[in-house]
């Protein structure tokens, strides 16, 4: 870092960090974001009330139950035949009772299949939002923590960013970049728009979506 | 919309005063502004990256977070699950009645009035029990799922299963 004429010149290291951050973001956009979008779309589609996955799960549960109880009914008929009770009330009511049991089993199996699809839907949404939370914390944390970071810490973060590049997000370079920015910003006055507040219009972004109108902060109105 | 994921952010390779090539973002407002001024400072690139990351989060992930929150706080999810479970059970019993008739007919058998009455009673009882059981199962599973999203680490505790 060099100084001169009252202005702080950026170092080649800071420029390199910025370039790596941009390139990592572009790489993330090109390779990982489409995959994540595809996954998120499949999760939403599978969780729909009449999705293919749901119908398939329910149908499989019904077929499995029908197959199991069909074999049981065959054995019941065979037993009645060999014991000379074919056509007796015992045999006929046994058969109707077996069909009743089959319906009970099938209904509960279909309910369980629906529940399993709902579990998968929620798990999938959790996975998608976990990806988003990682990105969000990077974006917010980058600005909040950057001012306190020293040049040495920035270098350490850059090393970590390169290590993390093999990970899922490909965004660690941005954090390292923000750290580099923090190093620079600690030496120069804060600039408009970089103080942690959103530009005009940003405050109008409504992120909440509580369906039952549950009020989490009455004083704030949300 | 601007940013990496909005499709309008542009990064250019431009030389600095010393002739070195640097990636240079065209700075555009995060929420619709279009400041076309450019800067080749790392400082501005970091700022734009941070804005783009936030915009990416809002665009690509917030809708799914809202879906999750909507499910967790839905006042109809439990009822819908119970209705679906009840429909599954009753449909199974309706089909079972027809299947029983076909199987008896295939064996050349018919139920006497007394046998029919006994069968109807037992089947009706089984249907009611299965219906209630399926609805309870669906309700508990849905409530547990909602509680889990809301952060309850032990959503299947009995005392909590009835909370909706």
């Amino acid at each position: 870092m060099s100084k001169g004429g009252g202005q702080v010149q950026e170092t080649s290291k800071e420029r390199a960090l910025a370039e790596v951050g941009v390139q990592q973001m572009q790489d993330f956009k090109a390779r990982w974001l489409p995959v994540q979008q595809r996954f998120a779309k499949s999760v939403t589609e599978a969780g729909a009330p009449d999705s293919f996955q749901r119908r398939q799960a329910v149908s499989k549960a019904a077929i499995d139950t029908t197959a199991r109880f069909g074999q049981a009914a065959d054995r019941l008929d065979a037993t009645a035949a060999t014991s000379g009770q074919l056509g007796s009330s015992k045999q006929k009511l046994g058969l109707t009772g077996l069909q009743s049991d089959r319906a009970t089993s099938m209904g509960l199996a279909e309910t369980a299949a629906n529940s399993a699809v709902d579990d998968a839907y929620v798990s999938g949404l959790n996975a998608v939002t976990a990806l988003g939370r990682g990105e969000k914390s990077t974006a917010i944390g980058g600005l909040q923590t950057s001012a306190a970071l020293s040049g040495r810490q920035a270098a350490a973060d850059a090393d970590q960013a390169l290590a993390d590049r093999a990970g899922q997000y490909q965004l660690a370079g941005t954090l390292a970049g923000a750290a580099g920015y923090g190093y620079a910003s600690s030496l120069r006055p804060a600039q408009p728009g970089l103080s942690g507040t959103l530009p005009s219009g940003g405050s109008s972004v409504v992120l909440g979506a509580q369906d039952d109108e549950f009020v989490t902060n009455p004083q704030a109105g949300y | 919309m601007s940013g990496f994921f909005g499709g309008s952010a542009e990064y250019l390779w431009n030389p600095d005063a010393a002739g070195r090539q640097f990636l240079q973002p065209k700075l555009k407002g995060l929420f619709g502004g279009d400041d076309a001024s450019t800067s080749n400072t790392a400082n501005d690139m970091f700022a734009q990256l941070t804005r783009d990351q936030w915009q990416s989060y809002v665009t690509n992930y917030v809708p799914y977070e809202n879906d999750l929150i909507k499910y967790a706080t839905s006042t109809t999810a439990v009822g819908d699950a119970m209705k679906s479970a009840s429909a599954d059970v009753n449909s199974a019993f309706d089909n079972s009645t027809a299947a029983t008739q076909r199987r008896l007919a295939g064996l050349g058998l018919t139920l006497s009035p007394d046998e029919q009455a006994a069968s109807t009673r037992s089947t009706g009882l089984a249907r009611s029990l299965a219906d209630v059981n399926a609805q309870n199962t669906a309700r508990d599973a849905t409530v547990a799922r909602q509680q889990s999203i809301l952060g309850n680490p032990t959503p299947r505790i009995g005392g909590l299963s009835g909370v909706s």
Side-chain angles (χ1 to χ4, degrees):
Chain A
M1 179 67 64
S2 63
K3 298 180 180 179
Q7 289 187 330
V8 178
Q9 298 298 318
E10 291 174 336
T11 65
S12 58
K13 181 178 179 180
E14 288 174 334
R15 287 183 174 277
L17 285 172
E19 290 173 24
V20 168
V22 169
Q23 288 168 349
Q24 285 191 330
M25 182 66 106
Q26 288 173 333
D27 178 53
F28 167 77
K29 173 191 173 188
R31 292 195 301 135
W32 286 110
L33 183 63
V35 176
Q36 291 180 6
Q37 288 175 328
R38 181 188 294 266
F39 170 61
K41 186 169 182 283
S42 69
V43 166
T44 302
E45 289 176 349
D50 196 33
S51 70
F52 169 77
Q53 286 83 354
R54 191 178 296 276
R55 284 185 280 115
Q56 185 184 43
V58 171
S59 297
K60 188 174 186 309
I63 290 170
D64 288 348
T65 306
T66 298
R68 285 201 305 271
F69 277 84
Q71 293 170 355
D74 289 342
R75 286 198 298 273
L76 184 68
D77 290 346
T79 301
T82 55
S83 62
Q85 292 183 334
L86 192 61
S88 67
S89 290
K90 183 177 181 180
Q91 186 253 335
K92 287 189 284 187
L93 291 179
L95 192 59
T96 59
L98 191 66
Q99 294 295 339
S100 178
D101 291 343
R102 181 186 76 94
T104 299
S105 178
M106 182 181 292
L108 294 178
E110 290 177 353
T111 299
N114 262 316
S115 185
V117 173
D118 287 339
D119 283 341
Y121 170 65
V122 170
S123 296
L125 283 182
N126 269 322
V128 172
T129 56
L131 296 174
R133 280 195 299 274
E135 188 176 348
K136 174 184 163 191
S137 65
T138 302
I140 294 175
L143 279 179
Q144 289 180 339
T145 62
S146 60
L149 291 176
S150 68
R152 183 180 297 275
Q153 286 172 318
D157 282 343
D159 291 341
Q160 184 62 47
L162 290 175
D164 288 346
R165 192 173 181 284
Q168 193 169 18
Y169 272 109
Q170 308 295 311
L171 291 177
T174 306
L175 177 59
Y181 158 70
Y183 177 41
S185 66
S186 66
L187 299 175
R188 65 171 69 93
Q191 296 185 356
L194 293 177
S195 60
T197 59
L198 291 173
S200 61
S203 60
S204 65
V205 177
V206 179
L207 304 181
Q210 300 202 44
D211 198 40
D212 60 356
E213 300 179 353
F214 181 76
V215 177
T216 54
N217 189 343
Q219 292 179 330
Y222 59 84
Chain B
M1 185 183 302
S2 69
F4 285 104
F5 307 97
S8 64
E10 296 178 32
Y11 293 82
L12 306 172
W13 285 99
N14 280 336
D16 66 356
R20 295 173 299 181
Q21 294 286 333
F22 291 104
L23 275 175
Q24 173 177 317
K26 275 189 176 180
L27 296 181
K28 295 188 176 182
L30 180 58
F31 296 99
D34 191 11
D35 178 5
S37 65
T38 59
S39 169
N40 63 349
T41 66
N43 193 5
D44 291 331
M45 294 174 71
F46 292 140
Q48 184 63 27
L49 272 175
T50 302
R51 292 191 188 98
D52 282 341
Q53 266 193 291
W54 174 255
Q55 186 59 54
S56 165
Y57 161 72
V58 170
T59 302
N60 293 297
Y61 298 104
V62 165
Y64 295 103
E65 288 185 354
N66 286 345
D67 283 348
L68 203 54
I69 294 169
K70 193 169 187 175
Y71 183 90
T73 60
S74 171
T75 55
T76 59
V78 173
D80 289 344
M82 292 172 72
K83 285 178 187 172
S84 176
S86 179
D88 286 341
V89 168
N90 282 294
S91 174
F93 270 89
D94 290 343
N95 293 334
S96 173
T97 301
T100 301
Q101 296 298 331
R102 284 196 299 272
R103 189 163 191 100
L104 288 171
L107 295 171
L109 304 173
T110 55
L111 295 177
S112 69
D114 287 344
E115 291 167 346
Q116 183 66 56
S119 174
T120 300
R121 280 196 303 273
S122 66
T123 301
L125 179 60
R127 179 194 289 254
S128 299
L129 291 173
D131 193 357
V132 170
N133 190 11
Q135 290 193 55
N136 286 343
T137 300
R139 182 199 64 202
D140 290 348
T142 305
V143 169
R145 206 175 292 116
Q146 289 182 312
Q147 292 278 313
S148 177
I149 296 171
L150 294 173
N152 186 349
T154 54
R156 291 189 183 277
I157 287 178
L160 294 175
S161 64
V163 178
S164 62

